[in-house]
Amino acid sequence: MRSLHLISFFFIIIISKYESLDSSPVVKASKNGDGFCSAPSIIESDEKPKPIYWKVTNPTLSPCHLQDLPGYTRSVYKRDHALITPESHVYSPLPDWTNTLGAYLITPAMGSHFVMYFAKMKEMSSSGLPPQDIERLVFVVEGAVTLTNTSSSSTKLTVDSYAYLPPNFHHSLDCVESATLVVFERRYERLGTHTTELIVGSTDKQPLLETPGEVFELRKLLPVSLAYDFNIHIMDFHPGEFLNVKEVHYNQHGLLLLEGQGIYRLGDNWYPVQTGDVIWMAPFVPQWYAALGKTRSRYLLYKDVNRNPL
């Protein structure tokens, strides 16, 4: 009888332990497919969904088994391409901007004819003007800014919206709280009497375009008219989709992976890439992409257009 009482006692203890564990938050490795490896996280039933492009400003810095390896980085710089990953970004005050830190990702020092950088605007910050004859495009990946021009008209830019500012166009980007922008700038190459205009828009308002022979979805943020010497493409791939054409062309590219992960071929190199990675592609470097993981891949791509390469 005593043995029976002891067995019952231990059985009650085991059941109590099980119930207490079952009622507590579950600790498990992330399975969201957004990075190569994520640290363990507490999964709560009332966890709020992350905003679009959240991972760009909160990236997985490295595979978990390499996070404690001093000096490790996925960043690569070569003659005809570069992969700049988040753990390599170096921020410093942006010239002529107030209360804003910038990380230059692509510059002419690499061989590019354009500049691409992140601008992290803090509370009560504002932009500076680009140099003479420089055109600018800003794309919001986090937060919100207000665009004001010389006529004192203002427009609020939120995540996934953008503005193209023609050369010598006086404007200001002001931020009350905080925001992260990706900025492209280049010296405008004039063509006859063609002129560009201020453009404000958002990705979801742009139509899907035909992509003969390809499966990805394509949107262009700027008009295709001759006045514009570059464009910004938004390209979406479902998991398992890839570029059919192994491209080799005279155009340069600056790319930011906004969502997802995959494999990028650049020259003879094959790079695992994920949200937050930036790529520079020089003219004629062989290039190809395949989307991996469980969620779509979306990247933003700079491309020079409408000008004779001579």
Side-chain angles (χ1 to χ4, degrees):
M1 182 66 69
R2 180 170 179 171
S3 299
L4 182 60
H5 284 309
L6 285 173
I7 292 172
S8 301
F9 175 73
F10 285 121
F11 181 76
I12 291 170
I13 290 176
I14 291 170
I15 292 296
S16 300
K17 291 283 188 181
Y18 177 81
E19 289 177 347
S20 64
L21 284 173
D22 190 55
S23 62
S24 63
V26 178
V27 179
K28 58 188 292 188
S30 173
K31 296 183 180 180
N32 57 17
D34 288 339
F36 300 122
C37 184
S38 299
S41 60
I42 296 177
I43 308 301
E44 298 282 3
S45 59
D46 59 347
E47 183 178 358
K48 295 181 180 179
K50 299 294 189 298
I52 187 172
Y53 308 150
W54 177 85
K55 196 74 173 174
V56 174
T57 53
N58 298 272
T60 302
L61 295 183
S62 64
C64 60
H65 65 288
L66 296 173
Q67 286 177 353
D68 295 326
L69 182 64
Y72 174 80
T73 179
R74 293 186 294 112
S75 292
V76 175
Y77 170 64
K78 294 183 179 291
R79 178 189 60 82
D80 56 4
H81 70 270
L83 170 64
I84 303 96
T85 57
E87 74 276 359
S88 301
H89 296 175
V90 178
Y91 285 88
S92 59
L94 269 180
D96 301 322
W97 294 54
T98 61
N99 209 20
T100 302
L101 297 177
Y104 285 97
L105 306 166
I106 300 174
T107 76
M110 286 178 167
S112 70
H113 56 228
F114 67 97
V115 170
M116 175 182 178
Y117 59 93
F118 278 131
K120 285 196 172 183
M121 306 184 72
K122 300 180 180 180
E123 292 182 6
M124 307 308 296
S125 54
S126 60
S127 67
L129 289 172
Q132 185 77 9
D133 297 330
I134 300 298
E135 56 189 335
R136 169 186 282 174
L137 184 139
V138 300
F139 184 94
V140 183
V141 295
E142 182 262 335
V145 297
T146 299
L147 169 65
T148 305
N149 58 31
T150 52
S151 65
S152 297
S153 63
S154 61
T155 304
K156 186 175 183 180
L157 303 178
T158 56
V159 175
D160 209 32
S161 59
Y162 63 93
Y164 168 80
L165 297 315
N168 308 320
F169 180 81
H170 287 271
H171 65 276
S172 177
L173 297 161
D174 302 298
C175 180
V176 175
E177 295 182 356
S178 65
T180 302
L181 316 177
V182 56
V183 185
F184 295 90
E185 295 175 347
R186 63 166 285 171
R187 187 168 299 279
Y188 181 61
E189 187 176 345
R190 300 188 183 278
L191 183 65
T193 59
H194 295 284
T195 58
T196 61
E197 299 178 348
L198 169 67
I199 296 175
V200 176
S202 61
T203 300
D204 60 350
K205 300 297 182 183
Q206 306 312 308
L208 286 174
L209 302 176
E210 294 289 333
T211 56
E214 296 287 0
V215 295
F216 62 83
E217 296 180 345
L218 171 65
R219 294 173 173 85
K220 295 184 179 183
L221 303 188
L222 297 181
V224 297
S225 62
L226 290 176
Y228 297 87
D229 57 2
F230 77 92
N231 213 317
I232 300 294
H233 295 184
I234 302 293
M235 300 171 65
D236 293 341
F237 297 79
H238 294 292
E241 293 182 343
F242 54 86
L243 289 168
N244 286 322
V245 178
K246 281 61 72 178
E247 297 183 354
V248 177
H249 50 60
Y250 78 91
N251 316 81
Q252 293 194 33
H253 288 320
L255 179 153
L256 170 63
L257 195 58
L258 293 168
E259 294 178 326
Q261 58 184 337
I263 297 291
Y264 226 106
R265 177 187 175 178
L266 299 168
D268 294 328
N269 302 276
W270 303 76
Y271 299 107
V273 293
Q274 64 177 358
T275 306
D277 287 354
V278 170
I279 298 174
W280 169 63
M281 291 170 256
F284 298 105
V285 61
Q287 55 197 257
W288 178 86
Y289 179 70
L292 303 177
K294 298 180 180 179
T295 59
R296 76 169 181 185
S297 285
R298 165 172 283 189
Y299 59 70
L300 174 154
L301 183 79
Y302 165 97
K303 181 178 183 179
D304 51 300
V305 296
N306 293 330
R307 296 298 183 268
N308 191 317
L310 291 175

